[in-house]
Amino acid sequence: MAKAPSQALRSRVADASMPYLMGSGVLLALTALFVWKAPAMNGPAGVALAVAVALDAASRLAAEAASRRSGVELAMRGLPSLVLPLGAAPGLAAAILAVLPLLGPGRFPVVASLIAGMVAMGALARLSLTRSVLVLAKAETRETLVRP
């Protein structure tokens, strides 16, 4: 028996969220390790990265809620951008942070700030897409109600 569209959407979201959660967890754990090791130097960049990951999680939740509400899947795939791969795969950012100790001390603040900016830009792009879809869905609903 085929799944209902809302159930299919929920299962796709659940399937996609596990790698994201694991990558985000590793990214935050590595960030905490760097901040714990040198809080004065790495603290501000670590906080910026944690806030960016929280903003990205909030944008994903908003996109999921908008998908359920409108019935449109809000997936940003195939866009030619340097920003979106880090927003979509925090494991890649975690891998970048993991090799930092091999490159030398003192590089965490710069790299973490760059990653935080890229993740935050991806989150803001997702929020913008979500808002656009909701506005278009609302306008479409209003238009069908007005037409005889």
Side-chain angles (χ1 to χ4, degrees):
M1 190 157 102
K3 290 183 179 178
S6 63
Q7 289 176 336
L9 179 63
R10 270 191 238 125
S11 71
R12 276 184 288 185
V13 168
D15 292 343
S17 63
M18 186 50 76
Y20 169 76
L21 289 173
M22 288 177 26
S24 293
V26 171
L27 179 62
L28 290 174
L30 283 170
T31 300
L33 181 67
F34 277 103
V35 171
W36 178 68
K37 203 163 182 170
M41 184 171 72
N42 297 339
V47 169
L49 189 52
V51 168
V53 169
L55 178 64
D56 191 48
S59 74
R60 288 173 184 275
L61 290 172
E64 181 184 343
S67 291
R68 274 194 250 129
R69 185 174 174 186
S70 68
V72 177
E73 183 180 359
L74 294 173
M76 298 190 317
R77 292 188 197 106
L79 297 175
S81 171
L82 294 174
V83 173
L84 297 177
L86 285 179
L92 176 63
I96 292 169
L97 285 183
V99 298
L100 276 181
L102 303 175
L103 301 175
R107 297 182 191 243
F108 175 81
V110 173
V111 174
S113 297
L114 289 172
I115 291 172
M118 291 172 62
V119 169
M121 284 189 288
L124 292 174
R126 186 175 293 105
L127 286 171
S128 176
L129 174 66
T130 302
R131 182 175 174 355
S132 298
V133 167
L134 287 176
V135 166
L136 289 174
K138 187 176 183 180
E140 194 173 275
T141 303
R142 190 175 294 147
E143 185 178 301
T144 56
L145 291 176
V146 171
R147 282 189 183 169

